[in-house]
Amino acid sequence: MNLLEVVRHIEADVLYGDDLLEGLEVERVYGADLMSDVLAFAVPGSLLLTGLTNIQIVRTAQMLDIPAVVFVRGKYPQKEAVELASSLNMPVLLSYKSMFETCGILFREGMLPCEIERRCPR
C-alpha cells in the first residue's frame, strides 16, 4: 500500500512529505510507544506508529530503515523531530485516532504486522 492510501484510510494529516506519499510502498506496520520494542521488533521497510514525539523516534526509524512515521492519538511531534524527518525525506503523518484503531484500520485494509517470534515455550 502506498502512503497516500494510508493517509486516506486513517484520515491522517501530512506534516511532511506530501510529494513522497505515492512513491513509498509499505506492507507491514509496527506500533509501539517503547523504543526498546521498536528496536527489537520493527522490520526495515515497515510503517511505524507511535505516540512518542521526540527526535529519537525519527533517529530510530532512520537506523532501522523505516520509511515513514505516523504519530497517533493526535500527539504532535516535536519541531526537531519533524525537521530531522524532512532532512531525511521521511514522511511524517499525524493520526487523531488511537494506536489500536489506527493499527486496526490498516490491518483491515490488508497491511501485515511485523512478526514477533515466540520467546518462551507454552
Side-chain angles (χ1 to χ4, degrees):
M1 175 182 306
N2 70 43
L3 288 182
L4 186 57
E5 294 171 298
V6 169
V7 167
R8 289 181 185 144
H9 289 308
I10 64 173
E11 301 172 354
D13 289 344
V14 180
L15 304 182
Y16 172 77
D18 272 314
D19 55 332
L20 303 170
L21 301 179
E22 281 190 80
L24 273 174
E25 295 282 330
V26 289
E27 67 176 38
R28 296 194 177 276
V29 178
Y30 187 73
D33 285 340
L34 289 173
M35 294 296 292
S36 58
D37 283 355
V38 174
L39 289 166
F41 304 120
V43 298
S46 59
L47 180 63
L48 178 59
L49 278 58
T50 188
L52 298 174
T53 60
N54 60 45
I55 196 170
Q56 290 309 113
I57 199 68
V58 176
R59 291 188 196 285
T60 301
Q62 176 192 21
M63 186 175 71
L64 295 174
D65 292 324
I66 290 173
V69 178
V70 179
F71 293 93
V72 296
R73 299 188 295 273
K75 294 180 78 175
Y76 203 90
Q78 294 176 357
K79 177 183 165 191
E80 296 81 10
V82 177
E83 288 172 352
L84 178 59
S86 68
S87 75
L88 299 170
N89 279 328
M90 178 186 294
V92 177
L93 309 178
L94 180 64
S95 171
Y96 294 91
K97 300 177 185 319
S98 69
M99 188 178 310
F100 178 81
E101 186 177 7
T102 305
C103 288
I105 290 167
L106 294 173
F107 184 77
R108 179 189 69 207
E109 296 302 325
M111 294 195 73
L112 302 171
C114 293
E115 295 181 14
I116 299 173
E117 293 183 31
R118 183 179 302 269
R119 291 182 170 200
C120 54
R122 286 187 171 184

